[in-house]
């Protein structure tokens, strides 16, 4: 539960109704709440099944209203508008009646396994199979890297769970198989196989930019939201906000070639100036809506200050769990959080750290392998002809060099008190520990008289997963509306933010 601004308690569902599929922790109540909003449904139950060993999947059981027929494709689209890809059930089963226990609750153990045709129908949806050799090769790479199948050519790499580390592994494999030196910005600007394949086949490449469109939106009266660096997280925010909002990611790696020459003396001001030059191509003048997560708060703060120095207005400065330095978290922080949340907190932290270590080891192995092949090829070429030099650095290596420079610049940056309005969205975990020196340093940067602080239930690393994501997006959407001069103030109904407002009471 959580407290609303009017003092009422809001029920968010039970934490023990969560499942984990392909690395994603999923709140089943969030899917069931979205199903409950469909006009043709009387009830909907979602559960995780593993009818074949190693093939865990989500299955939705549907009870239609009297006299209603359920269009499964329309239902799937209804879910896709509010939920990320990994929360869409793999199969839909329509029932005449739900099995009940003697106590009057749904008997989940008695729900039938989905038939093959029901699973196929659910997976068809927007799935587009590869039609060229290049697309087929990319599908094989994506399925192996993301450990999921099938992958369609219209599926978005970020929405399938791809992050910066997996992206680096993907780039290395593309270089090995296609000989194409793709940059991280190139991948983020072409996140589907359908858009990436023509690039690898020699089509014209768009100029590099730090700005990547995550949601085009249809309401031009609302200011666009620019999200600093968190492409994967921002992609989930964009989907949840819906098609009335425009969301863009500001991608560090779009500036690799422009900033490589000054990498040894790079400052956050240099990077902010490049970001501003690119975002002005999308929005020529303010007010601007900016957001960041975790350690990118320093870059966000300098970006806002640079805009103000250039005479622009920052209408929204939203910081999600802002931390200056995660390397010096005191033991008291963990003990306090463990006492409040119990053993589940420790399990989540360990799983999160192990996942990061696994990705880093996989990426480092791919990178070392690629470097060995390039150096071997260069040595061989040099032995055959003294006039032939070793291959130049790949686009990925330029990106890595820039990222290292960015980390140094971030550590060197000294935040100064910010003079404008700010919105801080704290996870329940960080809010619990707001009295620590870490959070006090952050909060002191933003004067309390111009600071709005909201608490989002959940842990730091789970904020971009339901049900926390729905509440997070609710606060962001309302803040964008307030900052947009031409936006009419609308009375939001519970249905506007389904993940935040409605959870099935049968989970109680």
């Amino acid at each position: 539960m959580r407290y609303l601004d009017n003092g009422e308690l809001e029920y968010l569902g039970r934490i023990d109704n969560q499942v984990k599929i392909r690395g994603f922790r999923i709140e089943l109540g969030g899917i069931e709440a979205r199903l409950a909003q469909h006009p043709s449904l009387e009830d909907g139950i979602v559960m995780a099944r593993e009818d074949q060993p190693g093939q865990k999947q989500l299955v939705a059981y549907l009870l239609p209203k009297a006299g209603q027929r359920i269009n499964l494709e329309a239902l799937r689209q209804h879910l896709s508008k509010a939920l990320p890809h990994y929360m869409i059930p793999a199969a839909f089963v329509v029932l005449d009646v739900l099995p009940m226990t003697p106590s009057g609750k749904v008997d989940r153990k008695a729900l039938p396994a989905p038939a093959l045709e029901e699973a196929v129908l659910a997976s068809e949806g927007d799935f587009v199979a590869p039609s060229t050799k290049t697309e087929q090769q990319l599908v094989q790479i994506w399925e192996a890297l993301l450990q999921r199948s099938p992958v369609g050519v219209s599926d978005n790499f970020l929405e399938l769970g791809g992050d910066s580390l997996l992206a680096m592994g993907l780039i290395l494999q593309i270089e090995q198989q296609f000989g194409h030196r793709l940059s991280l910005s190139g991948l983020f600007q072409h996140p589907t196989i359908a858009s990436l394949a023509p690039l690898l086949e020699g089509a014209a490449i768009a100029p590099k930019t730090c700005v990547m469109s995550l949601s085009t939106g249809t309401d031009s009266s609302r200011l666009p939201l620019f999200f600093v660096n968190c492409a994967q997280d921002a992609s989930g925010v964009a989907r949840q906000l819906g098609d009335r909002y425009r969301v863009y990611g500001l991608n560090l790696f779009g500036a690799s070639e422009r900033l490589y020459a000054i990498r040894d003396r790079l400052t956050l001001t240099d990077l902010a100036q490049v970001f501003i030059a690119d975002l002005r191509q999308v929005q020529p003048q303010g007010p601007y809506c900016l957001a960041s997560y975790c350690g990118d708060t320093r870059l966000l703060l300098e970006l806002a200050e640079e805009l103000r120095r250039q005479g622009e207005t920052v209408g929204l400065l939203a910081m999600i769990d802002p931390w200056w330095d995660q390397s010096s978290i005191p033991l008291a922080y963990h003990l306090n959080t463990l006492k409040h949340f119990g053993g589940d907190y420790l399990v989540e932290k360990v799983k999160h750290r192990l996942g990061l270590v696994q990705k880093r080891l996989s990426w480092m192995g791919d990178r070392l392998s690629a470097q060995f092949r390039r150096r071997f090829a260069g040595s061989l070429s040099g032995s055959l002809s003294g006039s032939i030099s070793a291959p130049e650095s790949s686009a990925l290596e330029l990106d890595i060099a820039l990222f290292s420079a960015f980390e140094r610049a971030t550590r060197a940056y000294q935040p100064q008190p910010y003079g404008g309005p700010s919105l801080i969205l704290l996870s329940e975990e960080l809010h619990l520990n707001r009295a620590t020196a870490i959070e006090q340093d952050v909060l002191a940067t933003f004067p309390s008289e111009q600071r709005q602080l909201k608490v989002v239930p959940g842990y730091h690393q789970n904020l971009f997963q339901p049900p926390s994501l729905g509440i997070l997006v609710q606060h962001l959407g309302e803040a964008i509306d307030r900052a947009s001069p031409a936006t009419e103030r609308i009375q939001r109904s519970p249905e506007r933010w389904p993940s935040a407002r409605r959870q099935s009471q049968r989970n109680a």
Side-chain angles (χ1 to χ4, degrees), residues 30 98 367 432:
L98 291 174
R367 183 188 176 194
L432 178 70

Side-chain angles (χ1 to χ4, degrees), residues 390-464:
E392 63 183 31
S393 297
S394 70
L396 178 60
E397 289 171 332
L398 296 181
D399 288 338
I400 293 172
L402 177 60
F403 185 73
S404 297
F406 165 66
E407 287 189 318
R408 291 194 300 270
T410 299
R411 288 193 296 268
Y413 183 76
Q414 296 298 320
Q416 300 299 317
Y418 180 70
S422 59
L423 170 65
I424 299 181
L425 300 170
L426 284 185
S427 66
E428 190 178 358
E429 174 188 338
L430 259 67
H431 185 256
L432 178 70
N433 294 282
R434 65 190 182 282
T436 63
I438 297 174
E439 280 308 298
Q440 285 302 306
D441 288 345
V442 174
L443 296 177
T445 308
F446 306 96
S448 57
E449 61 272 12
Q450 298 193 70
R451 181 184 72 212
Q452 189 177 22
L453 192 148
K454 299 286 187 180
V455 180
V456 181
Y459 305 133
H460 174 73
Q461 72 268 21
N462 291 342
L463 280 179
F464 294 92

Side-chain angles (χ1 to χ4, degrees), residues 204-225:
I205 302 176
K208 274 194 174 184
T209 174
C210 295
V211 180
M212 52 183 293
S213 176
L214 301 174
S215 175
T216 54
T218 58
D219 189 348
S220 59
S221 67
R222 285 185 169 87
L223 293 173
L225 176 65

Side-chain angles (χ1 to χ4, degrees), residues 209 278 306 424 496:
T209 174
D278 286 358
E306 181 62 24
I424 299 181
R496 181 66 187 91

Side-chain angles (χ1 to χ4, degrees), residues 279-297:
L279 70 83
R280 284 189 187 276
Q281 302 300 313
V282 176
Q283 185 185 349
Q285 60 186 20
Y288 291 96
C289 294
L290 310 173
S292 70
Y293 171 60
C294 195
D296 286 317
T297 302

